[in-house]
Amino acid sequence: KQEVTQIPAALSVPEGENLVLNCSFTDSAIYNLQWFRQDPGKGLTSLLLIQSSQREQTSGRLNASLDKSSGRSTLYIAASQPGDSATYLCAVRDSNYQLIWGAGTKLIIKP
Amino acid sequence: KAGVTQTPRYLIKTRGQQVTLSCSPISGHRSVSWYQQTPGQGLQFLFEYFSETQRNKGNFPGRFSGRQFSNSRSEMNVSTLELGDSALYLCASSLVASGSLGTGELFFGEGSRLTVL
C-alpha cells in the first residue's frame, strides 16, 4: 500500500532564504507526482507536475525533482518571500491511478 | 478562462440530513474528482468521473455518492449525515481521466466547507 510522507510538518525561515521541502513515498510504481500549495481555508493550487519518466520540473522560483528509485521528491523554493507562506502538499498517482496524499508541510516565511 | 467552481462554499446541516454539492470543471475538462479534507485524516479521495462514468472510487461508505452530467458538471451527495462528515470537500478537474496518457494535472476549486451539527 502506497504511503506518502512529508517532513518536516512545519518549517519557519527568514525571507530571502532558499529552502527544500521533502516528500517520500513507499512504492516506486507511480505514474506521476504533483506538488500543490494550500492557503488557509482555500482550495489547492497546482505548482508542478512531474511524470514518472521525468527527473525534474521548474516554474519560476520553484524546482521539483523526482527520484523514483529512492522514493523521493523535493520542492526547492528559491529566494523565499512572505507570500510563499502556505501549506505545501505532494500527491502521487499510484498504480491504481488513485492520488495518495502527504500530510503537508506548513511553511512560514518571516519578513 | 474560468477555474473550477464549487457551490455552495459554506453550509451547515444537522445529523441525519442529506447534502448535495456541485462542481463545474474548467471548460473542456471532462474528468472531475472529489476529495474530503479533514484535520485528522488529511486529504482522501472520494471518486472520479469521466464522461458521465465513475472511473474510480475511494474507501468511503455508500452514503457518499456522485454523478456527472453531459456538460461535465458533477455533483456529490452525502446522505444521513454524521458529525464526522464535517470537512472541506474539494473538487478537481482534469483534461483527461486518471488512467489516460497525458499530463493528468489536477486543478482544484475553492471547496465546500460542510459543518454537521
Side-chain angles (χ1 to χ4, degrees):
Chain A
K1 178 187 170 189
Q2 179 74 268
E3 292 181 1
V4 179
T5 303
Q6 291 187 249
I7 295 174
L11 180 64
S12 179
V13 301
E15 179 179 4
E17 280 200 5
N18 303 324
L19 59 101
V20 173
L21 305 180
N22 298 296
C23 173
S24 60
F25 46 95
T26 55
D27 187 345
S28 61
I30 66 171
Y31 286 96
N32 58 44
L33 183 147
Q34 195 165 356
W35 283 93
F36 299 86
R37 69 173 277 170
Q38 186 174 31
D39 295 284
K42 301 285 190 178
L44 279 69
T45 301
S46 175
L47 297 174
L48 290 164
L49 170 71
I50 311 178
Q51 300 295 345
S52 61
S53 58
Q54 297 174 322
R55 295 300 298 267
E56 66 177 335
Q57 284 285 338
T58 298
S59 176
R61 295 182 294 109
L62 305 179
N63 176 278
S65 68
L66 175 64
D67 184 343
K68 277 201 321 177
S69 61
S70 66
R72 295 185 63 183
S73 176
T74 61
L75 178 67
Y76 175 83
I77 302 177
S80 59
Q81 304 169 358
D84 294 330
S85 297
T87 296
Y88 289 80
L89 295 134
C90 72
V92 302
R93 181 79 68 181
D94 73 3
S95 56
N96 295 314
Y97 303 114
Q98 290 202 13
L99 267 185
I100 310 299
W101 296 85
T105 294
K106 184 174 182 178
L107 176 64
I108 297 173
I109 307 298
K110 297 175 289 186
Chain B
K1 187 168 170 180
V4 178
T5 304
Q6 291 188 246
T7 57
R9 290 291 314 283
Y10 304 92
L11 65 167
I12 300 173
K13 294 284 188 178
T14 56
R15 280 180 297 175
Q17 287 187 310
Q18 66 133 19
V19 66
T20 299
L21 309 178
S22 178
C23 172
S24 293
I26 291 171
S27 178
H29 284 194
R30 296 166 63 191
S31 172
V32 173
S33 51
W34 290 87
Y35 300 84
Q36 181 196 65
Q37 187 177 34
T38 59
Q41 298 294 319
L43 271 156
Q44 296 185 89
F45 169 73
L46 282 157
F47 26 66
E48 178 192 6
Y49 287 87
F50 182 81
S51 293
E52 302 178 66
T53 302
Q54 187 178 88
R55 296 266 303 191
N56 221 334
K57 190 177 190 305
N59 296 321
F60 278 80
R63 299 185 297 107
F64 292 80
S65 63
R67 59 178 175 168
Q68 186 180 34
F69 302 95
S70 58
N71 62 357
S72 294
R73 189 177 71 85
S74 176
E75 288 181 348
M76 68 162 281
N77 184 274
V78 187
S79 63
T80 319
L81 284 166
E82 301 176 0
L83 294 178
D85 297 333
S86 295
L88 180 65
Y89 290 87
L90 293 163
C91 163
S93 78
S94 178
L95 193 59
V96 297
S98 59
S100 305
L101 295 175
T103 66
E105 187 172 8
L106 292 181
F107 298 87
F108 281 81
E110 293 286 318
S112 293
R113 183 166 295 281
L114 170 65
T115 301
V116 182
L117 302 176

